[in-house]
Amino acid sequence: NAIAGALVTCEHSSYTSTFPANCSGSMETGIPGVYIFQNIFFHDTDTIKLTVSAPGYKPQEFTQNSFTINDLKVDFALAPLP
């Protein structure tokens, strides 16, 4: 099920992209559990780290580097805390 109100944080390391073309910051997911960082430029040498957390769930991280296209889609599946 989608989790509205989860916090998604993006850390973007780049030699070429600077604010506002990089995704550095946080946003909450909407009602269907969707998040979008818009107008981001990925270079093939960039590194992106996404972290998602929500109350009652284990946080999850995703890291990618070496982009071949200027688009990235990441789906998270959070596990409930014990």
Side-chain angles (χ1 to χ4, degrees), residues 4-63:
L7 185 64
V8 181
T9 302
C10 182
E11 298 174 44
H12 185 166
S13 301
S14 177
Y15 295 111
T16 59
S17 302
T18 59
F19 184 80
N22 64 359
C23 74
S24 293
S26 299
M27 66 175 10
E28 285 190 1
T29 58
I31 296 298
V34 174
Y35 65 96
I36 298 174
F37 289 95
Q38 296 183 350
N39 301 320
I40 307 302
F41 176 77
F42 298 127
H43 187 266
D44 60 353
T45 61
D46 289 2
T47 299
I48 299 290
K49 178 182 173 185
L50 296 172
T51 306
V52 64
S53 61
Y57 294 89
K58 295 178 189 176
Q60 190 178 44
E61 291 183 358
F62 171 85
T63 302

